[in-house]
Amino acid sequence: MSVIECDATAIGLFKDCPRKFDLRINQGLVPKARAGGGRGMGGALHKGREVWRNAIKAGKSHAVALNEALVALRIEWTTSFGTQLTDANRNLNNAEALFRGYAAKFASHNYKPITIEEPFSIDVGKSPNGHVVKRTGLMDEYCEFNGRRYVLDLKTSSVYPGGAWMDAWRTNEQFLGYVDAAQRLHGACDGVIVHGIWVHTPPQRSTNKYKYEDYFTADIVSFSAAQLDEWRADFLDTIDRREEARARGKWSPNLNSACKTVYGLCDFHKWCSSTPEIRSQVESIYYAHQVWQPLAEQRLGALSAAGVP
């Protein structure tokens, strides 16, 4: 059998809804509002962080690293939006302010970067049906912290990134894959350090519930060896189910919880809620074609899942 490559975002789409997987991955549909590849607010903050951490790794001062990061953030913003300002939360001034606040909060943390923006493609064995599988992905950072090794991942969110939001990452497909990949590539990984940025305007009054430093959250998500073994087996089983669906040409919709989340409706809600005879017209009006590129788009999928366009 030929080698099957799969990334965490794609396998997550299939688990959420096989039809959504077919529309996005196989057919390459994407809402016109998000077509073109721009990563928006979350992408600009990620680009700033990438440049900042690479400068720190190269031994540059915090001031120099921050300046380089802000230049990169502005370039990424221009790529996504040009001179357009979107709303009170998503605009260039707020993006810069949020990044400055994020860098100020975490500059003193002793995260020692080992790799930054590391793409990977690793052999994960054979599925029960005999498919040879490789898993691809892109890790924000692999670092040392307090004598242990972690993947460090930045998430931006339109809701406050604490409490239940942070707990949700403890069962995240992508994070399990990151830990597994880091262990295979580097020999050790004790979990994922999650950094959250709340994409919101700064507090206007001292009586606000959250202070500005509260906009930036952190936690560590760890998995036991038994959890990782369970996930690895499920991953390979899911590959078989996906390939069975492909062979049958049958991509069943999940018309329940996957259609609506706390962040809004599924990207393909308009398509699924239309009668079959008019779906070609709906597709031409609301959707564009954009080839799925896992390493380039894995973060885009993560951003979308976190509700940040």
Side-chain angles (χ1 to χ4, degrees):
M1 289 187 177
S2 60
V3 175
I4 294 174
E5 288 195 352
C6 189
D7 61 288
T9 303
I11 208 71
L13 285 177
F14 180 80
K15 284 184 170 183
D16 286 345
C17 177
R19 175 182 281 176
K20 184 176 182 179
F21 173 90
D22 179 52
L23 292 171
R24 179 64 193 98
I25 310 300
N26 294 337
Q27 298 187 40
L29 295 184
V30 63
K32 286 184 176 179
R34 293 205 293 113
R39 297 188 300 173
M41 181 77 160
L45 291 167
H46 270 89
K47 175 54 69 175
R49 186 190 183 283
E50 174 190 348
V51 172
W52 177 54
R53 293 296 288 165
N54 271 316
I56 295 297
K57 185 182 178 185
K60 297 180 181 180
S61 69
H62 173 69
V64 170
L66 179 61
N67 183 64
E68 291 182 2
L70 290 170
V71 170
L73 182 153
R74 292 174 194 127
I75 292 171
E76 183 73 16
W77 183 273
T78 302
T79 300
S80 296
F81 294 124
T83 58
Q84 175 188 358
L85 298 181
T86 51
D87 61 32
N89 294 335
R90 296 187 299 276
N91 61 70
L92 180 55
N93 288 337
N94 197 36
E96 290 190 22
L98 286 169
F99 189 81
R100 288 179 186 276
Y102 169 76
K105 180 161 184 175
F106 292 111
S108 62
H109 287 60
N110 192 27
Y111 304 126
K112 298 178 181 178
I114 298 171
T115 66
I116 298 168
E117 294 293 313
E118 179 183 18
F120 61 85
S121 179
I122 57 175
D123 296 322
V124 293
K126 285 187 177 182
S127 71
N129 288 351
H131 296 290
V132 179
V133 183
K134 282 190 173 184
R135 194 173 68 255
T136 60
L138 183 70
M139 286 187 281
D140 280 6
E141 182 174 334
Y142 178 68
C143 68
E144 182 178 316
F145 178 61
N146 289 341
R148 296 178 178 272
R149 300 290 180 92
Y150 297 95
V151 173
L152 199 161
D153 198 70
L154 173 64
K155 300 297 184 188
T156 53
S157 178
S158 58
V159 300
Y160 183 70
W165 182 93
M166 191 65 79
D167 285 342
W169 298 109
R170 301 186 188 283
T171 54
N172 182 258
E173 184 91 33
Q174 185 186 54
F175 282 8
L176 283 153
Y178 281 164
V179 173
D180 176 69
Q183 289 180 354
R184 293 172 188 266
L185 292 169
H186 301 290
C189 184
D190 294 292
V192 179
I193 298 172
V194 192
H195 282 179
I197 295 181
W198 188 21
V199 178
H200 194 69
T201 52
Q204 302 300 311
R205 300 181 302 275
S206 60
T207 55
N208 279 40
K209 179 179 179 181
Y210 296 108
K211 297 179 181 178
Y212 199 46
E213 58 266 29
D214 296 330
Y215 283 35
F216 316 102
T217 60
D219 203 353
I220 294 178
V221 174
S222 298
F223 305 104
S224 69
Q227 284 176 299
L228 287 166
D229 286 341
E230 182 181 59
W231 173 79
R232 292 180 187 114
D234 180 71
F235 184 90
L236 293 173
D237 284 342
T238 303
I239 291 292
D240 280 346
R241 290 193 290 113
R242 190 190 71 175
E243 294 309 301
E244 288 166 3
R246 192 186 306 280
R248 294 173 58 214
K250 179 68 174 177
W251 304 94
S252 300
N254 177 0
L255 297 178
N256 294 308
S257 58
C259 296
K260 189 178 187 303
T261 72
V262 66
Y263 303 108
L265 297 174
C266 168
D267 284 345
F268 300 103
H269 187 268
K270 289 186 187 302
W271 196 97
C272 288
S273 61
S274 303
T275 59
E277 60 268 20
I278 68 166
R279 282 176 180 162
S280 61
Q281 294 98 304
V282 170
E283 188 174 313
S284 65
I285 294 170
Y286 295 105
Y287 298 94
H289 287 267
Q290 187 168 298
V291 176
W292 179 255
Q293 298 174 300
L295 291 182
E297 296 197 26
Q298 184 167 7
R299 176 172 296 125
L300 181 62
L303 294 171
S304 177
V308 178

